[in-house]
C-alpha cells in the first residue's frame, strides 16, 4: 500500500520551494511539490491556491521538518544566505596581453563588423567572416593576431 503524502511547508515563491525540495532530496528524502505549475504560470494565484506545497511521505515527516528547521534556523521566512553555492567554473583561457602597454585588460573581436553589416544589408542575413582582432581597453591599441 502506498504511503500518504503530508504537506510540511507552503511557499508563495516557487524558487524557494524548489531550493528546499532539492535540499531535502540531497538528504535522501523523497518529496514532491504541489500546485507548482499553477503558481509558476500565474504567480498571483499563489494566495488563492494556498501557495506551493512541499510534500513528503508520512514516514519522512519528522526528519524533513528537522532538516527544514535546521536550514531556516527558526525563522519563518526562507534564508537564502544559508545555501552553499558551488564555486564558479574556471575556464582555461590563455592570457592575452597588449603588445603596446602590457595590460591584460584586452577584448577580442571575433567577426569582421564591416563584412557582417554589409552582408546583412544586402542579403538579409549576416555572413560571419572570422576575424581575430584584439583591442586593449587601457591604451586603445588595436592589433590582429597572426
Amino acid at each position: 500500500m502506498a504511503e500518504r503524502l503530508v504537506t510540511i511547508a507552503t511557499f508563495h515563491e516557487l524558487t524557494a520551494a524548489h531550493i528546499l525540495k532539492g535540499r531535502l532530496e540531497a538528504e535522501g528524502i523523497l518529496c514532491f511539490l504541489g500546485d507548482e505549475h499553477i503558481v509558476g504560470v500565474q504567480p498571483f494565484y499563489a494566495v488563492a491556491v494556498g501557495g506551493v506545497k512541499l510534500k513528503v511521505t508520512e514516514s519522512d515527516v519528522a526528519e524533513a521538518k528537522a532538516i527544514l528547521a535546521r536550514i531556516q534556523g527558526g525563522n519563518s521566512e526562507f534564508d537564502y544566505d544559508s545555501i552553499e553555492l558551488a564555486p564558479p567554473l574556471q575556464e582555461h583561457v590563455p592570457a592575452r596581453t597588449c603588445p603596446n602597454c602590457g595590460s591584460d585588460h584586452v577584448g577580442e573581436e571575433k567577426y569582421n563588423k564591416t563584412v557582417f553589416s554589409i552582408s546583412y544589408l544586402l542579403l538579409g542575413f549576416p555572413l560571419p567572416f572570422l576575424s581575430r582582432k584584439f583591442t586593449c581597453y587601457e591604451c586603445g591599441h588595436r592589433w590582429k593576431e597572426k
Side-chain angles (χ1 to χ4, degrees):
M1 185 163 136
E3 286 190 71
R4 274 189 24 200
L5 294 176
V6 177
T7 301
I8 60 168
T10 58
F11 305 91
H12 293 294
E13 295 178 9
L14 187 60
T15 308
H18 274 285
I19 290 172
L20 287 177
K21 177 182 183 261
R23 185 69 181 263
L24 289 176
E25 286 175 343
E27 299 281 340
I29 296 176
L30 181 65
C31 55
F32 302 95
L33 292 177
D35 296 328
E36 69 173 314
H37 299 295
I38 294 172
V39 175
V41 173
Q42 292 291 336
F44 297 117
Y45 289 179
V47 175
V49 297
V52 180
K53 296 157 192 79
L54 180 62
K55 299 181 178 205
V56 297
T57 58
E58 276 184 319
S59 60
D60 292 331
V61 170
E63 185 181 357
K65 284 186 177 182
I67 292 170
L68 289 181
R70 184 184 58 188
I71 293 170
Q72 293 176 344
N75 297 335
S76 60
E77 290 294 319
F78 182 69
D79 184 17
Y80 289 96
D81 296 331
S82 67
I83 298 172
E84 294 179 26
L85 299 176
L89 295 175
Q90 298 291 328
E91 294 182 19
H92 178 66
V93 179
R96 302 246 188 256
T97 56
C98 175
N100 192 26
C101 68
S103 171
D104 62 347
H105 193 67
V106 174
E108 179 181 2
E109 181 181 309
K110 294 183 180 178
Y111 302 108
N112 187 332
K113 291 180 183 176
T114 306
V115 175
F116 193 84
S117 300
I118 290 173
S119 67
Y120 186 71
L121 288 173
L122 295 177
L123 301 174
F125 59 91
L127 295 175
F129 287 100
L130 296 177
S131 171
R132 303 275 297 180
K133 293 182 181 175
F134 298 93
T135 304
C136 177
Y137 296 122
E138 298 294 329
C139 68
H141 179 67
R142 294 176 55 99
W143 72 96
K144 188 172 184 177
E145 190 172 89
K146 298 173 185 170

